Amino acid sequence: MTSTGDFEASVQRHRPELLAHCYRMLGSVHDAEELVQEMYLRAWRARDRYDPSRASLRTWLYRIATNACLTALDGRARRPMPSGLVTESEPLGSLVHGGEATWLQPLPDSLLGAGDPATAAIDWGSLRLAFVAALQLLSPRERAVLILRDVLDYPAAGAADILETSVASVNSSLQRARARIRAAGMPEEQVTEPSDAEQRSWVDRYMAAFVRADIPGLLHIVTEDVLMEMPPMVNWFTGRENYAAFMGWVFDKAGTAWRLLPVRANGQAGFAAYRRGDGGVFELHTLQVFTVTGGGISRVSVFQDPDVFAAFPLAQKLDG
């Protein structure tokens, strides 16, 4: 790797999985993209010290990326979802803004080049919003250990080498991290999910009911224990009854004229919702991402953040 072209050609194929890695660590699309660029710069400066007899290029890049993330996270607040921050809310209570809280952001599938052969190394299940939100409950080092061991399948010795620590330290951190993930309600083993086509079918049905403001129709699509949360508001709640009460409030306050555009984020189906405003123009209102099970939609994650909108990107208005 003696020239810029040789280096870029060698590392570019790892970019999607490294971006996914930095996103899992940081919970921010913008920060993850910045860290990948910083990682490339660090790697370029250190390229003459890379020894392929000691580690593969992929492992060497993961070492640089992981430690860059740990440095970036030093002293920085975690990025939770509301359900990991406050107790459950009343669905018709006053919406409470999270103020200066920094929230977990969804990751557009398009940034990873979904469908490109380079994405084959990505564990899409580990990008699900619920799992990444659970990672935010861990300390940065616990987060790194869990990802290296349980997502990327590095052996304890390999993770210790990447983190420049002992195997005993890695094993201790992994034990704590797994316990916290279990306490957050996330199973250690990946649950079998419906296919992408099945997920899209559930969400398409949801979209059709949404544009009709058909609450009974929506209730046939969400699960009995559906969870809804909507950063930057800290309010969140569970159950069909609470969900129905809240959606009734939404349609009463925001109207029943909507246009929806399908999106994909975190390997999950969703849509951007545009509400009809003055003059008949539809204005960007929210971006919604869904967790889909075999029995319906179990989690509705609603975002109303300009930084989230910009990451996809989404037009601010649609003509009526």
Side-chain angles (χ1 to χ4, degrees):
M1 293 186 291
T2 57
S3 71
T4 300
D6 290 340
F7 175 77
E8 290 181 350
S10 298
V11 303
Q12 186 62 29
R13 69 179 183 274
H14 298 295
R15 189 182 189 283
E17 61 174 308
L18 289 165
L19 178 60
H21 178 58
C22 291
Y23 169 75
R24 292 186 200 99
M25 287 290 296
L26 302 172
S28 163
V29 176
H30 177 73
D31 291 351
E33 289 185 303
E34 281 197 346
L35 256 292
V36 169
Q37 290 305 116
E38 181 180 331
M39 180 220 68
Y40 278 164
L41 182 59
R42 290 188 186 190
W44 172 251
R45 289 172 175 169
R47 68 192 186 283
D48 293 335
R49 298 195 295 276
Y50 167 58
D51 182 356
S53 67
R54 289 196 57 207
S56 67
L57 176 63
R58 179 176 183 265
T59 294
W60 184 66
L61 293 172
Y62 267 108
R63 178 184 295 116
I64 296 172
T66 301
N67 286 288
C69 287
L70 289 172
T71 298
L73 286 166
D74 187 25
R76 186 182 296 186
R78 63 190 179 93
R79 285 181 171 269
M81 289 290 278
S83 58
L85 185 67
V86 298
T87 58
E88 187 173 356
S89 312
E90 290 293 328
L92 297 183
S94 299
L95 292 180
V96 179
H97 196 284
E100 297 302 314
T102 52
W103 301 105
L104 176 66
Q105 298 176 342
L107 174 67
D109 285 13
S110 59
L111 288 183
L112 299 180
D116 188 290
T119 67
I122 296 174
D123 179 349
W124 286 91
S126 68
L127 288 174
R128 300 297 191 250
L129 275 170
F131 181 75
V132 181
L135 289 176
Q136 298 297 306
L137 303 175
L138 308 178
S139 71
R141 187 158 290 268
E142 289 171 348
R143 203 179 304 168
V145 167
L146 185 79
I147 293 169
L148 290 171
R149 294 284 282 114
D150 288 357
V151 175
L152 300 174
D153 292 326
Y154 277 100
D161 184 53
I162 287 173
L163 295 170
E164 300 177 343
T165 188
S166 67
V167 170
S169 176
V170 164
N171 288 336
S172 177
S173 293
L174 181 61
Q175 186 176 14
R176 291 194 303 273
R178 284 174 173 170
R180 291 185 181 182
I181 290 291
R182 286 195 300 271
M186 296 298 300
E188 285 184 39
E189 290 147 8
Q190 190 167 324
V191 177
T192 302
E193 296 179 314
S195 68
D196 287 349
E198 291 173 306
Q199 292 182 51
R200 188 71 252 174
S201 176
W202 278 107
V203 175
D204 286 347
R205 288 172 56 196
Y206 186 99
M207 292 170 66
F210 190 100
V211 295
R212 297 194 307 266
D214 177 6
I215 294 175
L218 291 170
L219 291 180
H220 281 99
I221 299 166
V222 300
T223 60
E224 185 65 40
D225 59 351
V226 62
L227 182 153
M228 174 174 271
E229 52 194 336
M230 49 210 130
M233 305 304 169
V234 299
N235 309 67
W236 66 278
F237 47 85
T238 59
R240 282 181 178 146
E241 184 177 347
N242 288 334
Y243 167 86
F246 182 75
M247 291 306 297
W249 179 88
V250 168
F251 291 134
D252 182 59
K253 297 294 183 182
T256 58
W258 299 83
R259 286 184 63 184
L260 310 180
L261 298 180
V263 300
R264 285 196 65 84
N266 298 73
Q268 298 169 256
F271 62 75
Y274 290 77
R275 166 195 173 191
R276 187 163 63 190
D278 296 338
V281 174
F282 287 83
E283 300 169 349
L284 182 57
H285 187 260
T286 55
L287 183 134
Q288 306 188 26
V289 182
F290 300 90
T291 299
V292 183
T293 69
I297 291 172
S298 64
R299 191 172 188 136
V300 183
S301 302
V302 182
F303 299 89
Q304 197 171 39
D305 180 346
D307 287 342
V308 169
F309 297 158
F312 276 79
L314 294 164
Q316 291 300 306
K317 296 182 179 181
L318 300 175
D319 292 335

